[in-house]
């Protein structure tokens, strides 16, 4: 048990440290945004807000509204308690009491520039009767951007390959299947990787992989933002972006398991819906 | 059977006639919009688009983007076919083959002026082994507007009372329970009436009631629009309107049975999502 507590502690501290690295990285991008179309506006800064969870634990949201990031949220949380009986069957390793502990980081970035893709990343550690990791990262360009998509996938593939060459093909497929809008018969974006219930038997290796997913995502996404943020855009590009964001809303409210699970189980509404775009259109 | 066909014919023709009345009424409001904040823009006109349903029947959308109505859709449809086996249990009077016939009208209006409430109305006739009617109308002001809400409810109450004094209290309650966002613990709007599976044993009476709901809704809503459309609004009012519309999106995609049923059963996406607001925000 002491061993588990030490692992939980390491994981929770990592998610916080990754949050700090990412927030610094994104604020630096805001500072470097003078030559962008909204360069006359002030550089954005993250605003933090903590919340407590009824039943145990809590989290902290960091939200920034800037000149590069129209709205970006980076949530961290450490929660514990008991799963309701109706959920226990769906969760591996759940004991009779339904005890669980979970910590994670979740990031969603909606960008001002329609030529800069939106992105999402989430990694987490969960303990029931067993421990596992899950997470992933994916990209949502507003237009078909094959080069950006390739760059993003290459970054995540390198991270995967450093740990296990079977990971990338499996997790890429999982992501493609997950981020899909059946009612429109279209993918949400350009994909990425998605994994869950990762427990290879070597906790240290699984943790190292999860850390690598987080840092590789951040590095690759930062590069993509910096490469595209000075491109000019038109009112037409903006319209197209707002319509594409409507699809993002449809996915999150109709299909995203995390969102639906959170809303059904009385999670923190503000933290759960932080993923929603700042503005969207259905013309 | 000939009797049923005659009833279906009467109902389908009524929904089309109501659609025509409402479209004329709303275009006349557009024409009278010179003194409104967007009075310098051209008066809007409905654009019609037909669609066919795989499996039988089809419908016609009428959508207008105007200076009073930011986006208003009025759909009519007449469809028939077989319910999939998994739905049969939920539907009264479904025979072994799962045959159904359904016709209806559905209206959603999102207004330019944040001081004019949004509104929704839908009435339908359904035949399985039996015939019934369902529908209702409800109002979504962007602010608390007790007088407008009272006026709207009074209009629908009069329509109800002309047919059965037990209707209004029961259908008002049904509406309050239905148009509710549990995750936010707030109602979608100011309510109205909602009824379903109405089969009193007197088809003519039920049809007369359904017609009255449609025309009373249209008259009362028209009055409300005309009373408020010349009020001035600020950027702040617009922001508030877009946030309130975000809640509307949340309701439609998370809870609205019609939307979810339509999307799951491969209905016409464009017609189903016509109810979505033209623009919404999650700041």
């Amino acid at each position: 048990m002491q061993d588990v507590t030490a692992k939980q502690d390491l994981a929770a501290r990592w998610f916080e440290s990754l949050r700090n690295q990412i927030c610094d990285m994104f604020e630096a991008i805001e500072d470097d945004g003078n030559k962008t179309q909204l360069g006359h506006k002030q550089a954005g800064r993250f605003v933090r807000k903590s919340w407590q969870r009824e039943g145990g634990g809590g989290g902290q949201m960091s939200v920034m509204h800037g000149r590069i990031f129209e709205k970006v949220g980076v949530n961290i949380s450490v929660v514990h308690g008991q799963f309701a009986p109706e959920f226990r069957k769906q969760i591996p390793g759940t004991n009779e009491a339904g005890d669980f502990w979970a910590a994670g980081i979740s990031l969603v970035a909606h960008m001002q520039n329609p030529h800069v893709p939106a992105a999402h990343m989430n990694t987490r550690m969960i303990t029931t009767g067993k421990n596992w990791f899950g997470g992933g990262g994916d990209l949502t360009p507003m237009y078909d951007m094959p080069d950006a998509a390739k760059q993003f996938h290459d970054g995540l593939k390198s991270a995967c390959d450093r740990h296990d060459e079977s990971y990338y093909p499996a997790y890429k497929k999982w992501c493609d299947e997950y981020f899909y809008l059946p009612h429109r018969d279209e993918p949400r974006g350009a994909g990425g990787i998605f994994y869950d219930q990762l427990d290879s038997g070597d906790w240290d290796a699984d943790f190292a992989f999860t850390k690598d997913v987080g840092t590789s995502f951040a590095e690759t996404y930062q590069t993509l933002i910096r490469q595209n943020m000075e491109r000019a855009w038109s009112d037409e590009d903006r319209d197209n972006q707002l319509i594409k964001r409507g699809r993002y809303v449809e996915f999150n409210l109709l299909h995203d398991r995390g969102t639906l699970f959170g809303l059904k189980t009385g999670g923190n509404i503000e933290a759960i819906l932080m993923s929603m775009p700042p503005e969207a259109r259905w013309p």
Side-chain angles (χ1 to χ4, degrees), chain A:
Chain A
M1 190 62 194
Q2 197 168 19
D3 183 44
V4 173
T5 308
K7 287 171 178 166
Q8 292 175 339
D9 211 50
L10 274 171
R13 276 191 283 140
W14 161 253
F15 295 128
E16 187 175 345
S17 143
L18 179 62
R19 188 273 312 266
N20 294 343
Q21 289 172 49
I22 289 175
C23 288
D24 288 348
M25 197 182 255
F26 286 0
E27 288 187 349
I29 290 175
E30 282 287 323
D31 288 337
D32 294 341
N34 282 322
K35 289 187 201 154
T36 64
Q37 197 157 322
L38 298 176
H40 57 282
K41 298 203 173 187
Q42 261 203 322
R45 283 295 173 264
F46 277 99
V47 175
R48 297 226 161 120
K49 188 167 172 183
S50 297
W51 52 273
Q52 299 296 313
R53 180 178 167 278
E54 238 180 276
Q60 195 171 40
M61 286 176 271
S62 303
V63 179
M64 178 165 71
H65 295 90
R67 56 187 183 175
I68 308 296
F69 295 88
E70 189 173 334
K71 177 182 170 189
V72 53
V74 191
N75 273 342
I76 53 171
S77 62
V78 183
V79 299
H80 55 89
Q82 271 87 39
F83 280 121
E86 62 268 33
F87 290 116
R88 283 177 204 165
K89 275 185 211 157
Q90 306 168 29
I91 314 282
T94 307
N95 62 17
E96 288 221 343
D99 295 320
F100 78 94
W101 176 96
I105 180 169
S106 172
L107 175 158
V108 177
H110 295 285
M111 311 305 289
Q112 295 281 12
N113 191 333
H115 299 299
V116 179
H120 158 252
M121 185 272 290
N122 160 247
T123 54
R124 56 196 173 270
M125 173 185 165
I126 296 177
T127 305
T128 54
K130 49 190 287 189
N131 298 302
W132 75 87
F133 289 94
D138 66 284
L139 197 73
T140 309
M142 305 296 116
Y143 292 99
D144 201 21
M145 292 177 73
D147 294 344
K150 187 180 182 312
Q151 216 173 310
F152 185 77
H153 276 273
D154 286 349
L156 291 174
K157 182 175 186 302
S158 302
C160 288
D161 289 352
R162 281 192 285 275
H163 300 271
D164 188 322
E165 293 203 345
S166 74
Y167 282 176
Y168 176 74
Y171 298 162
K172 176 198 182 299
K173 184 165 177 276
W174 201 339
C175 185
D176 286 342
E177 286 164 1
Y178 185 79
F179 291 104
Y180 185 74
L181 285 78
H183 63 288
R184 293 198 181 266
D185 195 17
E186 66 185 37
R188 183 173 86 172
I193 61 168
F194 184 99
Y195 65 106
D196 204 1
Q197 299 176 13
L198 175 64
D199 177 13
S200 67
D202 180 348
W203 186 87
D204 293 306
D206 298 344
F207 182 39
F209 169 65
T210 291
K211 291 203 279 188
D212 214 350
V213 168
T215 47
S216 298
F217 165 87
E219 278 302 335
T220 310
Y221 188 44
Q222 164 176 237
T223 306
L224 272 177
I225 295 170
R226 288 184 177 276
Q227 280 171 352
N228 293 287
M229 71 188 197
E230 291 180 4
R231 293 172 66 182
W233 73 86
S234 64
D235 288 350
E236 257 194 334
D237 292 325
R238 176 70 178 171
D239 286 345
N240 175 69
Q241 181 189 44
L242 294 178
I243 291 166
K244 183 80 183 168
R245 285 191 187 158
R247 307 287 204 267
Y248 204 93
V249 169
E250 290 173 25
F251 180 83
N252 282 19
L253 298 181
L254 289 170
H255 301 295
D256 188 57
R257 281 186 297 223
T259 304
L260 299 177
F261 183 87
L263 294 177
K264 268 185 203 161
T265 54
N268 183 284
I269 302 290
E270 217 180 326
I272 296 165
L273 294 183
M274 197 195 63
S275 64
M276 299 295 264
E279 196 171 345
R281 272 193 208 149
W282 289 266

